[in-house]
């Protein structure tokens, strides 16, 4: 399943990327600077978008099938990129060693989002930033009920993705402080994963 998902990942999201998601990523990454960790780096969609203020990106991706594609993009990135095989819950880097952590469409797939956020807080320097872009549980009760009903099937199809997570509440309950958040929609996505949040949380 991992091999198939890695193969199709960019194709399945291409329409959304072209319709505005790439610009959402670009806007978010303008907040990145210094030493950066990207968790769940996937196939490397963010790598071409990092600004000159970034001195290095450590791209963490535990899936070997995704990593094969990630490696190709790392060679062409505008900033130095180091690849590591590590889950977001346990990154082998020192406490307080990073200026920025980036996570895009990651907290929907991890087993324990709260554990991931605690790990991010551990890794960030004082006043460091976590930049997030996540699809989330819908405000509309009807759509939220469908997210709940279809979550088990969706998880099988989409490699463990949970479409019904209240991610903003989890962020606000974490050791991080949410300083900026914007709500929107993923263009040309199925309704199940259309509600979107982007923003910044600080150490």
């Amino acid at each position: 399943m991992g091999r198939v998902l890695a193969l199709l990942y960019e194709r399945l999201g291409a329409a959304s990327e072209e319709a505005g998601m790439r610009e959402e990523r670009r806007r978010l990454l303008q907040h990145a600077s210094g030493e950066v960790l990207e968790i769940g780096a996937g196939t490397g969609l963010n790598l071409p978008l990092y600004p000159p203020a970034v001195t290095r990106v450590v791209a963490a991706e535990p899936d070997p099938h995704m990593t094969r594609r990630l490696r190709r993009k790392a060679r062409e990135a505008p900033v130095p990129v180091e690849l590591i095989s590590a889950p977001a819950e346990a990154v082998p880097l020192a406490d307080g060693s990073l200026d920025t952590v980036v996570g895009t469409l990651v907290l929907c797939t991890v087993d324990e989002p709260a554990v991931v956020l605690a790990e991010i807080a551990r890794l960030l320097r004082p006043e460091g930033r976590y930049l997030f872009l996540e699809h989330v549980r819908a405000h509309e009760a009807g759509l939220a009920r469908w997210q709940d009903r279809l979550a088990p099937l969706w998880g099988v199809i989409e490699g463990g993705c949970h479409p019904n997570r209240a991610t903003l509440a989890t962020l606000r309950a974490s050791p991080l402080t949410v300083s900026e958040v914007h709500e929107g929609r993923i263009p040309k996505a199925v309704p199940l994963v259309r509600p979107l949040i982007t923003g910044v949380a600080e150490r």
Side-chain angles (χ1 to χ4, degrees):
M1 184 66 187
R3 187 188 302 275
V4 173
L5 183 60
L7 180 64
L8 297 178
Y9 185 79
E10 291 190 31
R11 296 181 192 178
L12 293 172
S16 293
E17 292 293 321
E18 292 297 328
M21 276 297 285
R22 185 176 296 115
E23 287 310 308
E24 287 281 3
R25 294 173 187 272
R26 192 188 305 276
R27 279 192 290 271
L28 180 69
L29 294 174
Q30 293 308 302
H31 295 284
S33 62
E35 296 276 330
V36 176
L37 166 70
E38 182 172 341
I39 56 171
T43 62
L45 288 173
N46 291 329
L47 293 186
L49 307 178
Y50 280 101
V54 170
T55 55
R56 180 176 72 125
V57 174
V58 178
E61 174 53 55
D63 185 285
H65 306 297
M66 291 284 192
T67 300
R68 290 192 189 98
R69 288 160 176 77
L70 177 62
R71 188 171 291 112
R72 294 172 199 155
K73 288 197 178 67
R75 289 195 289 263
E76 301 169 357
V79 297
V81 178
E82 174 189 345
L83 272 56
I84 60 172
S85 177
E89 295 89 343
V91 179
L93 296 174
D95 294 3
S97 60
L98 299 165
D99 300 295
T100 310
V101 176
V102 172
T104 60
L105 304 178
V106 174
L107 295 181
C108 59
T109 59
V110 297
D111 291 335
E112 296 288 345
V115 173
V116 172
L117 294 172
E119 178 73 343
I120 290 168
R122 177 187 74 80
L123 292 165
L124 284 171
R125 295 181 174 124
E127 301 182 4
R129 291 174 162 184
Y130 173 48
L131 310 181
F132 58 88
L133 181 156
E134 300 286 347
H135 69 79
V136 295
R137 185 177 183 83
H139 290 306
E140 301 93 332
L143 179 53
R145 283 195 293 271
W146 276 108
Q147 287 176 318
D148 291 338
R149 288 176 189 139
L150 294 176
L153 176 61
W154 187 259
V156 171
I157 296 170
E158 290 290 327
C161 173
H162 297 76
N164 57 342
R165 283 186 169 165
T167 298
L168 184 55
T170 305
L171 274 159
R172 285 178 167 152
S174 78
L176 302 168
T177 299
V178 177
S179 58
E180 182 179 330
V181 64
H182 306 279
E183 296 189 4
R185 299 200 176 259
I186 299 179
K188 297 193 176 181
V190 298
L192 207 64
V193 293
R194 199 173 289 161
L196 176 73
I197 59 169
T198 64
V200 180
E202 298 179 348
R203 176 75 169 84

